[in-house]
Structures are given as C-alpha cells and as structure tokens.
Amino acid sequence: MNKLIYTLALGLLIVSCQNKKGENGGHEHHQPEKAPTEQSDNSKKSIPQEAHGNVGDTHITIKYHSPAVRERVIWGGLVPYGEVWVTGAHSATNIEFSKAIQVEETTIPKGKYAFFTIPGQDRWTLILNKNWEQHLADDYDQAEDVIRIEVTPDAEMPLAEQLTYTIEDKGEGSGAIRMSWEKLSVSLPFKTD
C-alpha cells in the first residue's frame, strides 16, 4: 500500500512539473534584481544599471544590463564579430533623449531607442533602433533603424570588468554616449539644438 501511495505521489509531482514547464514555453522569466550597493567584480549576474546625464539642456537616460568579464574572451568570443549585439545583456539597452539630437546629419526625435552594435575587429557599427523594448536581438529589424554609423573603437583602455555606459558633455552642445567593457570602448557622438 505504501509503495502504491509513493508511486501515485511521484506521478503527480512529475505531471505537476511538466504542466508548470509547459505554461511558460519551457523556461522561466524572473524580474530583474536590484543592483546591490557594492558589486563584486566576479559577479555571475548581469546586473540592471542606469546611467543619467545632461548635455546642454538635453537629459539622457540609459538602461542596460551590465555583464562582467570574469576572465572570459569577450571580443570575438562571448560577443561574436559581425553580429548584431544588444550591447549589454538580456534585453536591448535603451537610450532616452528628453529633446531631439543630431547624429551626423540625422535628426533623432526625442524619445526612447534601442542601442545595438555590430562589433568588428577594426570598425564597429552603432545603431539606434525604434523598437526599444526587445529581448536580446530576437526581434531586431534593420528596417526600424533610425541611424547607423561606423566608428573605430578605442582598444587600449584600462580594464573595465563590468560593462559600463557614461554620458559625456563635451561642451557647446556636443556630447557622446560611451560604452566601455574589457579593454575596449566605443562612443556615439551627438549634438543638441
């Protein structure tokens, strides 16, 4: 009798787990954890981060997930060359401008955009895309790009263990959004009105 009860309980447990797995497509989604006040450099999590700054009277907000190097090969390894990258982890990095800006000769209206890159060994493509709310680059559509520019990365930087964004005010309405990770940095230059 005990063996029958044990077998039935085990069967119900297996069926329950399979139903739970099937409800969400076989994987779980968790709410992002808040970044701790002190983050060790060997964190195995890509922590959610924000960067804020002003260039002139334009406010810029960047929301992203910050992975760590953790002794991995990043460029051409974890982040392949020649492929669209969310330039962070998990969901697309998004950048919000409180006013319109100029990137090269293109006016970018105020609003929120996804920031993608295509890393290369010598040149990178930087992209602002209208679809700012996407998981990784799963829904990336080049037709929704607002702008693409090519830049040369700074490849001899001091080690940045965590991926980091900064907003640089260069004066006289000029600014840049800089992404730094490992020993590399790329910068999206822009102007405000």
Side-chain angles (χ1 to χ4, degrees):
M1 184 69 161
N2 284 344
K3 189 173 182 180
L4 178 61
I5 292 172
Y6 174 77
T7 305
L8 285 172
L10 184 60
L12 286 172
L13 181 62
I14 291 169
V15 169
S16 172
C17 288
Q18 287 175 337
N19 286 344
K20 194 169 224 175
K21 185 177 177 183
E23 287 171 3
N24 58 16
H27 64 279
E28 294 183 21
H29 290 270
H30 300 281
Q31 292 295 329
E33 296 178 14
K34 293 200 187 279
T37 51
E38 288 186 24
Q39 180 66 32
S40 65
D41 284 346
N42 61 2
S43 170
K44 292 193 175 184
K45 294 184 178 179
S46 297
I47 53 177
Q49 297 281 18
E50 289 187 20
H52 296 267
N54 291 312
V55 174
D57 60 355
T58 302
H59 184 76
I60 297 104
T61 303
I62 306 170
K63 293 183 180 179
Y64 62 103
H65 283 81
S66 175
V69 174
R70 297 192 340 254
E71 299 180 5
R72 298 177 289 182
V73 174
I74 303 301
W75 314 117
L78 182 67
V79 178
Y81 292 126
E83 294 182 18
V84 175
W85 177 44
V86 295
T87 324
H90 305 306
S91 53
T93 293
N94 66 70
I95 302 176
E96 185 170 11
F97 303 102
S98 67
K99 295 186 171 184
I101 63 161
Q102 289 278 129
V103 176
E104 294 185 338
E105 302 300 315
T106 302
T107 298
I108 311 295
K110 78 175 189 172
K112 197 181 282 192
Y113 301 91
F115 180 64
F116 292 104
T117 56
I118 303 174
Q121 290 184 350
D122 302 313
R123 302 281 288 165
W124 281 44
T125 302
L126 309 185
I127 303 164
L128 289 177
N129 183 277
K130 291 178 191 173
N131 185 4
W132 60 270
E133 192 172 29
Q134 32 185 316
H135 178 259
L136 297 174
D138 298 344
D139 297 325
Y140 172 75
D141 181 355
Q142 185 173 345
E144 294 189 272
D145 289 352
V146 178
I147 192 163
R148 282 179 164 225
I149 66 167
E150 282 200 11
V151 300
T152 301
D154 295 323
E156 298 298 324
M157 304 292 288
L159 177 67
E161 177 65 28
Q162 294 286 147
L163 182 145
T164 306
Y165 280 89
T166 52
I167 297 148
E168 301 171 347
D169 186 343
K170 298 181 179 280
E172 299 182 1
S174 290
I177 293 165
R178 181 173 295 278
M179 184 283 300
S180 303
W181 194 27
E182 199 248 6
K183 293 184 177 181
L184 184 141
S185 176
V186 292
S187 183
L188 176 73
F190 65 91
K191 294 190 178 207
T192 61
D193 291 334

